[in-house]
Each structure stands twice: as structure tokens, then as C-alpha cells.
């Protein structure tokens, strides 16, 4: 098992989804992702009712949710802060982000891959049913 993401690092509503993905049962994965959406823990953020229709299209379909437990967030922040002061080379995500860090390049590729495969992908499929994901 290549899993890096620990169930105790994610909030309870998403643990069932993680377990379903790790069971390799597609029907369970779809049901668990649907349950997370139906439970109301995933909230659509936009569009804002500001009367400006120009930015409404950009905000439609944007969601917010608490995925990680506070302890995991603290551990991740501690790790990133330690790397920042280490003097080791770091590449920024883009020229507009002078303080960002590409965590895949500092040894967290496995963790981030697990997050995408086990949580982000099935959740995206549940939220954006009309889209085709490769």
C-alpha cells in the first residue's frame, strides 16, 4: 500500500471517502463522495450577490470545505516553515507568489498524490457530474 495520507489527518466527513477509495470499490467511492456533498460540509462559495455579473461566471462552481484536521495543518505549516529557513533550494509556484512553495518538490509528492487520488478526484466527480475527468 502506497498510502501516505493518514485518516486521522482529515476531518471525519472525509474519512469515509478515504476508506472507500482505499477499498477499491467504485460504487462505494461514488456513494461516499455523494454523501459528503449531501451532508453539507462542502459549500459553494460564489457567486457573490454584488450585482456585477462579470465575475459571477468565474465564481460559479467554487467550493470551500474543511478537509484537514487542525493538528495536520500545524504539522504541515511546521514542515514548510522549517524548509523555508533550511537554506535548501526552493522553486516558487509562479512569479506572482514570492512566498509559495511547491511541496511536491520537498518530499511531499506521495502525500499530495494521495490527497488528489483519494479525496480531490472523487469529490470533483461528485460536484461536477457533467465534466469529463481524465
Amino acid at each position: 500500500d502506497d498510502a501516505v495520507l493518514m485518516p486521522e489527518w482529515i476531518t471525519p466527513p472525509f474519512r469515509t471517502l478515504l476508506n472507500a477509495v482505499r477499498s477499491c470499490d467504485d460504487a462505494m467511492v461514488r456513494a461516499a463522495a455523494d454523501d459528503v456533498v449531501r451532508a453539507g460540509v462542502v459549500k459553494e462559495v460564489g457567486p457573490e450577490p454584488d450585482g456585477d455579473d462579470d465575475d459571477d461566471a468565474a465564481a460559479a462552481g467554487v467550493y470551500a470545505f474543511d478537509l484537514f484536521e487542525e493538528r495536520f495543518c500545524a504539522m504541515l505549516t511546521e514542515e514548510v516553515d522549517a524548509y523555508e529557513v533550511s537554506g535548501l533550494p526552493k522553486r516558487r509556484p509562479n512569479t506572482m507568489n514570492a512566498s509559495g512553495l511547491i511541496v511536491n518538490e520537498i518530499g511531499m509528492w506521495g502525500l499530495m498524490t494521495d490527497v488528489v487520488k483519494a479525496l480531490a478526484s472523487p469529490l470533483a466527480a461528485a460536484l461536477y457530474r457533467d465534466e469529463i475527468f481524465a
Side-chain angles (χ1 to χ4, degrees):
D1 187 5
D2 293 345
V4 178
L5 183 62
M6 304 299 291
E8 61 269 19
W9 291 348
I10 58 175
T11 57
F14 293 95
R15 289 180 193 159
T16 302
L17 178 56
L18 178 64
N19 291 334
V21 168
R22 291 190 175 158
S23 76
C24 298
D25 182 328
D26 289 342
M28 265 180 66
V29 171
R30 283 190 297 279
D34 288 343
D35 287 348
V36 167
V37 172
R38 273 194 303 276
V41 295
V42 176
K43 306 242 188 274
E44 189 162 11
V45 176
E48 292 292 323
D50 59 5
D52 183 3
D53 291 338
D54 291 339
D55 62 325
D56 287 352
V62 176
Y63 295 88
F65 48 90
D66 294 326
L67 176 61
F68 296 114
E69 289 284 356
E70 286 184 31
R71 176 66 187 126
F72 174 79
C73 292
M75 291 181 345
L76 181 61
T77 300
E78 186 178 309
E79 192 68 28
V80 167
D81 289 348
Y83 192 87
E84 282 290 337
V85 299
S86 72
L88 293 168
K90 49 192 147 298
R91 191 165 62 101
R92 302 301 182 190
N94 58 56
T95 57
M96 300 285 292
N97 190 342
S99 61
L101 183 65
I102 301 172
V103 295
N104 282 1
E105 295 181 1
I106 66 165
M108 295 188 191
W109 184 87
L111 173 63
M112 293 300 119
T113 299
D114 214 13
V115 168
V116 170
K117 286 182 177 179
L119 300 169
S121 291
L123 189 56
L127 291 170
Y128 305 101
R129 295 209 181 277
D130 296 334
E131 301 296 326
I132 299 172
F133 296 96

